[in-house]
Structures are given as structure tokens and as C-alpha cells.
Amino acid sequence: MKKWLKLIIVFSFLFVGCSKEEPVLNRGSQDYIAYYKNIEENEIFYEESNFYQISAELVNKGNNTYNYYIFIDNPKIAMYDIKVLAVEKDVLLADSDTMQASIGIFENSGYSMIPYQVNAAEGFYKGLMLSGETDKDSIVIEMLVS
């Protein structure tokens, strides 16, 4: 009888040890994946916006490494709880080994821009900046701003 009891206990540990649950993604990770997939599926991107100014800069760090900076500022309308994801063109989510530039997706506090109103303590900014790193001396960035 004791032999069977020990055998049942051993098998129950084996079955419990073999089951694996999928990891639960937090809200920021879910949003990041959704935004990334939206960018991958989108076919039309605009080079400018009627709602804010956008500019970018690529800086050579040496050693075949470049930093890119994307500036979103001078809002023309009130923009609340801003979320932005910037992805290098043709870099698929499945193939990406690094996080792409983002703002507002993983942070607990929101980012807002209202024309002529700045109060960083309350989350109202004049502009936002995203940055990333690449090994290419020329890149095309596709973005989703919400």
C-alpha cells in the first residue's frame, strides 16, 4: 500500500511539473504588441501631421552605431494620454531582438500636449522625444501616434 502511495505522489509531481502556463503579459506589453502589429499591417504612412510638428535627427556615435531622435512638439490640438511607437521599416516583431522606440506605452503616468500650455508636473508637455539605436546610416521609421 505504501508503495502505491509513493508511486502516486511521484506521478502527481511529474504531471504538475510538466504543465506549463503561458506567461501573462502586462497591459504595456499587450499594447506594445498591438501597436507593433498595427504598424506592420498598415500600408499608408504620412510624413507630417496637421495636429503636431514632427522632426527627426540621426547622430553618428562612432563604431558603426547611430542614435536617432524623433521630436513631436508644437501641438495644434489638445492631445491627451499620448502613446507612440516608432519602428524601423521592415523590422518585423517576430524578428526584432530589441525594443523599438516608444513613449507612453509602458509608463504609468500619461503624456499630454495642449497648445500653449506646459505643466510637466501635471503631465502636460511642450513636446515629446523618442530615441533609438541602429547600425544603419540611413533609416525609415514608421510610427503610430495615438
Side-chain angles (χ1 to χ4, degrees):
M1 179 73 172
K2 288 184 181 183
K3 206 181 217 183
W4 285 106
L5 185 59
K6 287 180 184 177
L7 192 57
I8 291 171
I9 291 172
V10 168
F11 276 118
S12 65
F13 281 122
L14 286 175
F15 288 126
V16 171
C18 292
S19 67
K20 180 182 175 190
E21 291 184 28
E22 290 295 317
V24 177
L25 299 176
N26 64 26
R27 184 67 184 162
S29 298
Q30 292 172 354
D31 287 349
Y32 179 85
I33 292 168
Y35 279 49
Y36 208 119
K37 288 182 178 180
N38 195 312
I39 291 170
E40 286 179 343
E41 294 169 1
N42 198 2
E43 295 178 8
I44 299 172
F45 292 92
Y46 299 101
E47 293 184 14
E48 58 186 33
S49 171
N50 293 330
F51 308 116
Y52 50 84
Q53 288 182 343
I54 187 165
S55 60
E57 183 178 340
L58 187 65
V59 178
N60 187 347
K61 287 179 39 179
N63 296 331
N64 210 19
T65 307
Y66 301 85
N67 280 353
Y68 60 86
Y69 301 95
I70 302 167
F71 305 96
I72 300 171
D73 59 4
N74 296 323
K76 310 284 189 281
I77 62 168
M79 301 170 63
Y80 297 96
D81 194 25
I82 300 168
K83 292 178 174 52
V84 182
L85 179 61
V87 176
E88 285 187 55
K89 185 175 181 172
D90 299 327
V91 175
L92 301 176
L93 176 60
D95 299 335
S96 178
D97 56 353
T98 60
M99 294 289 292
Q100 300 294 313
S102 68
I103 193 165
I105 295 175
F106 292 101
E107 293 86 352
N108 289 332
S109 59
Y111 296 94
S112 299
M113 294 190 308
I114 300 176
Y116 311 109
Q117 296 183 35
V118 177
N119 186 343
E122 295 292 322
F124 298 100
Y125 299 92
K126 180 182 182 302
L128 303 172
M129 182 193 73
L130 294 88
S131 65
E133 188 173 281
T134 185
D135 58 356
K136 301 172 188 151
D137 63 354
S138 177
I139 59 173
V140 174
I141 299 288
E142 298 174 331
M143 290 178 42
L144 176 61
V145 178
S146 70

